PDB file of all heavy atoms in Angstrom:
ATOM      1  N   TYR A 135     -18.047 -20.142 -18.005  1.00 94.00           N
ATOM      2  CA  TYR A 135     -18.850 -19.256 -17.167  1.00 94.00           C
ATOM      3  C   TYR A 135     -18.981 -19.764 -15.739  1.00 94.00           C
ATOM      4  O   TYR A 135     -19.791 -19.258 -14.965  1.00 94.00           O
ATOM      5  CB  TYR A 135     -20.243 -19.078 -17.785  1.00 94.00           C
ATOM      6  CG  TYR A 135     -20.164 -18.556 -19.199  1.00 94.00           C
ATOM      7  CD1 TYR A 135     -20.302 -19.414 -20.289  1.00 94.00           C
ATOM      8  CD2 TYR A 135     -19.903 -17.213 -19.440  1.00 94.00           C
ATOM      9  CE1 TYR A 135     -20.203 -18.949 -21.590  1.00 94.00           C
ATOM     10  CE2 TYR A 135     -19.801 -16.728 -20.734  1.00 94.00           C
ATOM     11  CZ  TYR A 135     -19.952 -17.605 -21.808  1.00 94.00           C
ATOM     12  OH  TYR A 135     -19.848 -17.128 -23.092  1.00 94.00           O
ATOM     13  N   PHE A 136     -18.195 -20.753 -15.376  1.00 94.00           N
ATOM     14  CA  PHE A 136     -18.167 -21.266 -14.015  1.00 94.00           C
ATOM     15  C   PHE A 136     -16.716 -21.586 -13.663  1.00 94.00           C
ATOM     16  O   PHE A 136     -15.871 -21.761 -14.547  1.00 94.00           O
ATOM     17  CB  PHE A 136     -19.030 -22.525 -13.874  1.00 94.00           C
ATOM     18  CG  PHE A 136     -18.521 -23.693 -14.664  1.00 94.00           C
ATOM     19  CD1 PHE A 136     -17.646 -24.622 -14.105  1.00 94.00           C
ATOM     20  CD2 PHE A 136     -18.892 -23.860 -16.001  1.00 94.00           C
ATOM     21  CE1 PHE A 136     -17.160 -25.681 -14.855  1.00 94.00           C
ATOM     22  CE2 PHE A 136     -18.408 -24.921 -16.752  1.00 94.00           C
ATOM     23  CZ  PHE A 136     -17.540 -25.836 -16.175  1.00 94.00           C
ATOM     24  N   ALA A 137     -16.432 -21.643 -12.353  1.00 95.00           N
ATOM     25  CA  ALA A 137     -15.071 -21.961 -11.930  1.00 95.00           C
ATOM     26  C   ALA A 137     -15.123 -22.726 -10.622  1.00 95.00           C
ATOM     27  O   ALA A 137     -15.590 -22.204  -9.599  1.00 95.00           O
ATOM     28  CB  ALA A 137     -14.254 -20.680 -11.758  1.00 95.00           C
ATOM     29  N   LEU A 138     -14.668 -23.976 -10.652  1.00 94.00           N
ATOM     30  CA  LEU A 138     -14.533 -24.753  -9.440  1.00 94.00           C
ATOM     31  C   LEU A 138     -13.360 -24.208  -8.616  1.00 94.00           C
ATOM     32  O   LEU A 138     -12.517 -23.473  -9.148  1.00 94.00           O
ATOM     33  CB  LEU A 138     -14.292 -26.225  -9.784  1.00 94.00           C
ATOM     34  CG  LEU A 138     -15.391 -26.922 -10.593  1.00 94.00           C
ATOM     35  CD1 LEU A 138     -14.930 -28.320 -10.974  1.00 94.00           C
ATOM     36  CD2 LEU A 138     -16.696 -26.963  -9.820  1.00 94.00           C
ATOM     37  N   PRO A 139     -13.274 -24.534  -7.323  1.00 93.00           N
ATOM     38  CA  PRO A 139     -12.113 -24.097  -6.540  1.00 93.00           C
ATOM     39  C   PRO A 139     -10.797 -24.527  -7.183  1.00 93.00           C
ATOM     40  O   PRO A 139     -10.663 -25.648  -7.655  1.00 93.00           O
ATOM     41  CB  PRO A 139     -12.335 -24.780  -5.178  1.00 93.00           C
ATOM     42  CG  PRO A 139     -13.818 -24.959  -5.091  1.00 93.00           C
ATOM     43  CD  PRO A 139     -14.271 -25.249  -6.492  1.00 93.00           C
ATOM     44  N   GLN A 140      -9.864 -23.602  -7.253  1.00 93.00           N
ATOM     45  CA  GLN A 140      -8.526 -23.793  -7.823  1.00 93.00           C
ATOM     46  C   GLN A 140      -8.523 -23.926  -9.350  1.00 93.00           C
ATOM     47  O   GLN A 140      -7.468 -24.184  -9.934  1.00 93.00           O
ATOM     48  CB  GLN A 140      -7.826 -25.017  -7.193  1.00 93.00           C
ATOM     49  CG  GLN A 140      -7.724 -24.954  -5.678  1.00 93.00           C
ATOM     50  CD  GLN A 140      -7.072 -23.683  -5.182  1.00 93.00           C
ATOM     51  OE1 GLN A 140      -6.049 -23.262  -5.708  1.00 93.00           O
ATOM     52  NE2 GLN A 140      -7.669 -23.053  -4.166  1.00 93.00           N
ATOM     53  N   SER A 141      -9.680 -23.748  -9.978  1.00 95.00           N
ATOM     54  CA  SER A 141      -9.697 -23.765 -11.450  1.00 95.00           C
ATOM     55  C   SER A 141      -9.628 -22.330 -11.963  1.00 95.00           C
ATOM     56  O   SER A 141      -9.753 -21.368 -11.199  1.00 95.00           O
ATOM     57  CB  SER A 141     -10.953 -24.464 -11.967  1.00 95.00           C
ATOM     58  OG  SER A 141     -12.115 -23.700 -11.670  1.00 95.00           O
ATOM     59  N   SER A 142      -9.441 -22.183 -13.258  1.00 96.00           N
ATOM     60  CA  SER A 142      -9.222 -20.855 -13.823  1.00 96.00           C
ATOM     61  C   SER A 142     -10.133 -20.601 -15.011  1.00 96.00           C
ATOM     62  O   SER A 142     -10.665 -21.534 -15.625  1.00 96.00           O
ATOM     63  CB  SER A 142      -7.756 -20.699 -14.253  1.00 96.00           C
ATOM     64  OG  SER A 142      -7.423 -21.655 -15.242  1.00 96.00           O
ATOM     65  N   ILE A 143     -10.316 -19.323 -15.311  1.00 96.00           N
ATOM     66  CA  ILE A 143     -11.004 -18.893 -16.536  1.00 96.00           C
ATOM     67  C   ILE A 143     -10.040 -17.997 -17.303  1.00 96.00           C
ATOM     68  O   ILE A 143      -9.230 -17.280 -16.705  1.00 96.00           O
ATOM     69  CB  ILE A 143     -12.324 -18.157 -16.235  1.00 96.00           C
ATOM     70  CG1 ILE A 143     -12.074 -16.959 -15.312  1.00 96.00           C
ATOM     71  CG2 ILE A 143     -13.340 -19.091 -15.619  1.00 96.00           C
ATOM     72  CD1 ILE A 143     -13.323 -16.128 -15.067  1.00 96.00           C
ATOM     73  N   CYS A 144     -10.127 -18.057 -18.620  1.00 97.00           N
ATOM     74  CA  CYS A 144      -9.192 -17.317 -19.467  1.00 97.00           C
ATOM     75  C   CYS A 144      -9.953 -16.474 -20.482  1.00 97.00           C
ATOM     76  O   CYS A 144     -11.011 -16.875 -20.978  1.00 97.00           O
ATOM     77  CB  CYS A 144      -8.247 -18.281 -20.191  1.00 97.00           C
ATOM     78  SG  CYS A 144      -7.266 -19.325 -19.109  1.00 97.00           S
ATOM     79  N   PHE A 145      -9.391 -15.328 -20.794  1.00 97.00           N
ATOM     80  CA  PHE A 145      -9.920 -14.454 -21.849  1.00 97.00           C
ATOM     81  C   PHE A 145      -8.801 -13.492 -22.227  1.00 97.00           C
ATOM     82  O   PHE A 145      -7.671 -13.598 -21.718  1.00 97.00           O
ATOM     83  CB  PHE A 145     -11.182 -13.719 -21.382  1.00 97.00           C
ATOM     84  CG  PHE A 145     -10.995 -12.887 -20.148  1.00 97.00           C
ATOM     85  CD1 PHE A 145     -10.802 -11.519 -20.232  1.00 97.00           C
ATOM     86  CD2 PHE A 145     -11.036 -13.467 -18.888  1.00 97.00           C
ATOM     87  CE1 PHE A 145     -10.642 -10.747 -19.099  1.00 97.00           C
ATOM     88  CE2 PHE A 145     -10.874 -12.707 -17.744  1.00 97.00           C
ATOM     89  CZ  PHE A 145     -10.673 -11.345 -17.849  1.00 97.00           C
ATOM     90  N   SER A 146      -9.080 -12.546 -23.101  1.00 96.00           N
ATOM     91  CA  SER A 146      -8.030 -11.613 -23.510  1.00 96.00           C
ATOM     92  C   SER A 146      -8.636 -10.299 -23.993  1.00 96.00           C
ATOM     93  O   SER A 146      -9.796 -10.233 -24.425  1.00 96.00           O
ATOM     94  CB  SER A 146      -7.156 -12.217 -24.616  1.00 96.00           C
ATOM     95  OG  SER A 146      -7.925 -12.515 -25.760  1.00 96.00           O
ATOM     96  N   PHE A 147      -7.828  -9.263 -23.894  1.00 96.00           N
ATOM     97  CA  PHE A 147      -8.170  -7.948 -24.436  1.00 96.00           C
ATOM     98  C   PHE A 147      -7.233  -7.649 -25.597  1.00 96.00           C
ATOM     99  O   PHE A 147      -6.152  -8.233 -25.717  1.00 96.00           O
ATOM    100  CB  PHE A 147      -8.013  -6.863 -23.367  1.00 96.00           C
ATOM    101  CG  PHE A 147      -8.975  -6.981 -22.225  1.00 96.00           C
ATOM    102  CD1 PHE A 147      -8.529  -7.325 -20.958  1.00 96.00           C
ATOM    103  CD2 PHE A 147     -10.327  -6.750 -22.404  1.00 96.00           C
ATOM    104  CE1 PHE A 147      -9.410  -7.428 -19.899  1.00 96.00           C
ATOM    105  CE2 PHE A 147     -11.223  -6.863 -21.359  1.00 96.00           C
ATOM    106  CZ  PHE A 147     -10.764  -7.195 -20.101  1.00 96.00           C
TER     107      PHE A 147
END
Side-chain angles (χ1 to χ4, degrees):
Y135 303 100
F136 65 92
L138 300 174
Q140 304 306 315
S141 68
S142 61
I143 56 175
C144 301
F145 57 99
S146 61
F147 294 111

